[in-house]
Amino acid sequence: EEELRKLREETNAETLRQELEKERQRRLELEQRVNEVLKARAEEVPAAQQPAKPQAQANGTDKSSHTVSSRLHKWFCDKFGEYIEDFRFQPEENTVETEEPLSARRLTENMRRLKRGAKPVTNFVKNLSALLDWYSIYTSAIAFIIYINAVWHGWAIPMFLFLAILRLSLNYLIARGWRIQWSIVPEVSEQMEPPKEDLTVSEKFQLVLDVAQKAQNLFGKMADILEKFKNLFMWVQPEITQKLYIALWAAFIASCFLPYRIIGLALGLYAGVKFFLIDFIFKRCPRLRAKYDTPYIIWISLLTDPQLKERSNATVSRRLKCCCSDFGIMFLFLQLQTATARSYVGSSAPTGISKDEDTSRFHTTKRGNFHEVFNLPENERPLPVCENGWRCCLINRDRKMPTDYIRNGVLYVTENYLCFESSKSGSSKRNKVIKLSDITDIQKYKVLSVLPGSGMGIAVSTPSTQKPLVFGAMVHRDEAFEAIFSQYMKITSASSSTES
């Protein structure tokens, strides 16, 4: 009973039942009103029909015309009602496309589909380039003669339409089972690798890298083309855009005064001679192309946005060099001042402190003096290899809290200690100081086994930790490991010699 009561309270069954009863009462009242209205109309219709009968008999033509108009209206609605309904505006539906999860099998399948889908286009481009490069002399000569005759007689558009119809006819025959192979460039059969069912993690990672590299190169080429067109029309390089501006004005004036047939004939002849003869000569003679091929010269001289940025940076650096040359005397004067100041500081230093101790006293980190940050003696300073430290993250696998598990900071090595300065907090509690003589094991470490390479971490084992401390994400890992390991070996060899 308690469960039923709770269920009733949660579902509000009583309120729903009351609303349902109210709706039933409303429905009954509406039915009664409709019945009353129908009865009233039924009583009015016979009363109106009795006096109107002689008039209806007298006006038979009006009745026949009314029926004809109703029939026409019905026929019009039956024929065109569906089309009229199509013009009703409806709110747009916001459809959200579902994205498929990343899968190596799906990725390889899509790559092969893209390659198969682009094969007709690539074959057409290869055949066209081979035709223009006179790969087959007889075929290119016949095509050139047919094209020039078609352009001269004004049959260029019918010729292209006929070629499209011929291509569709050949595709129909190929679909029906005919073996028709026509290509200027001989096709090379590529061996298709069978799809693998299960890929290892390294193979999946390599596949993703290959796809990312291809996408990067493709997007880079497309971006270069678009940026060149944008810079051409935006007057970024006025000396190049000026040529396009003059050519457009010449084409506009010619289109206003010359008939379109002459313009089409001139353009067709120019295109045939340009693509079949001039480009063939320019490709065989690069020096002529670099001197006289105007479209090629314009396209090569157009710059992309990164190239423009590099050029602007180069000009700024040149200006800075000129300014620096003007201030050369002032710079020499400042050097003399710093040299005198250093000599003054060296002379004012106490005699009981050596040079190394003096430099270690003034060595500082981002938080303050080195020996104060890590609570070390003043003679402990970073080795010359790591004066600025190595950026890394400390992974303490003994801790369970995320804030204590990973810490970003800087790693230093001194003559006797390994010091880690955390970058999140200013307190010294988050810093880590490890005595080199207490280290039991030190080795290179790979944080993520999925990634290729030898890793970017160093694992340090001490008696106070159950799991080794890992200093990961080190860009100069090998350099840091050699410095730490060599200093560790010096400390261990010195301690073993003293014990012996």
Side-chain angles (χ1 to χ4, degrees), residues 16 64 84 100 126 141 147 150 174 196 361 384 444 473:
L16 292 174
S64 62
I84 294 172
E100 297 182 1
K126 287 180 182 179
Y147 175 79
I174 292 171
K196 295 181 180 180
R361 178 173 294 178
K444 295 181 181 180

Side-chain angles (χ1 to χ4, degrees), residues 370 380-383 412-419 436 487:
F370 187 86
E380 289 291 335
R381 68 181 189 277
L383 297 178
Y412 299 93
V413 59
T414 65
E415 294 181 357
N416 299 305
Y417 294 93
L418 189 65
C419 305
L436 293 176
Q487 191 65 26

Side-chain angles (χ1 to χ4, degrees), residues 214-362:
K214 291 180 181 179
Q216 171 190 336
N217 297 333
L218 179 62
F219 292 159
K221 292 179 181 178
M222 293 173 64
D224 291 342
I225 294 171
L226 294 176
E227 287 174 357
K228 284 188 176 184
F229 276 112
K230 182 198 71 169
N231 295 332
L232 177 63
F233 286 95
M234 294 301 294
W235 293 86
V236 177
Q237 296 173 269
E239 66 278 1
I240 297 176
T241 311
Q242 186 178 3
K243 298 178 182 179
L244 176 64
Y245 191 71
I246 295 170
L248 290 176
W249 270 110
F252 172 73
I253 295 170
S255 64
C256 291
F257 294 100
L258 297 177
Y260 287 103
R261 184 174 181 180
I262 296 176
I263 295 174
L265 177 62
L267 290 177
L269 292 175
Y270 171 75
V273 175
K274 176 77 169 57
F275 292 119
F276 277 95
L277 300 178
I278 297 176
D279 285 348
F280 175 76
I281 296 171
F282 281 155
K283 286 179 182 179
R284 297 298 184 273
C285 303
R287 293 183 179 179
L288 289 176
R289 188 173 193 176
K291 289 181 180 180
Y292 303 106
D293 193 357
T294 306
Y296 175 77
I297 295 170
I298 291 174
W299 183 255
I300 293 299
S301 57
L302 281 173
L303 300 178
T304 59
D305 290 347
Q307 293 174 349
L308 289 170
K309 190 175 181 180
E310 291 178 359
R311 177 177 287 186
S312 62
N313 292 334
T315 54
V316 170
S317 63
R318 289 175 185 174
R319 291 176 183 176
L320 288 174
K321 286 180 181 179
C322 294
C323 294
C324 290
S325 63
D326 294 336
F327 291 101
I329 300 172
M330 186 180 293
F331 180 71
L332 292 174
F333 180 70
L334 290 174
Q335 279 187 340
L336 291 173
Q337 282 186 344
T338 54
T340 55
R342 286 176 183 175
S343 63
Y344 174 75
V345 171
S347 62
S348 62
T351 56
I353 300 174
S354 64
K355 186 177 179 181
D356 294 336
E357 292 176 353
D358 191 18
T359 54
S360 66
R361 178 173 294 178
F362 292 102

Side-chain angles (χ1 to χ4, degrees), residues 17-63:
R17 187 179 296 171
Q18 292 176 3
E19 291 179 358
L20 185 60
E21 290 296 333
K22 290 180 182 179
E23 293 296 330
R24 286 179 181 174
Q25 292 294 334
R26 290 178 184 176
R27 185 175 63 81
L28 292 174
E29 291 177 359
L30 289 174
E31 286 181 354
Q32 290 178 1
R33 290 180 183 178
V34 169
N35 292 329
E36 290 175 359
V37 172
L38 290 175
K39 286 179 181 179
R41 286 183 180 180
E43 291 176 357
E44 291 176 358
V45 168
Q49 284 180 356
Q50 289 177 0
K53 281 182 180 179
Q55 187 178 0
Q57 291 175 359
N59 298 330
T61 57
D62 295 338
K63 187 176 181 181

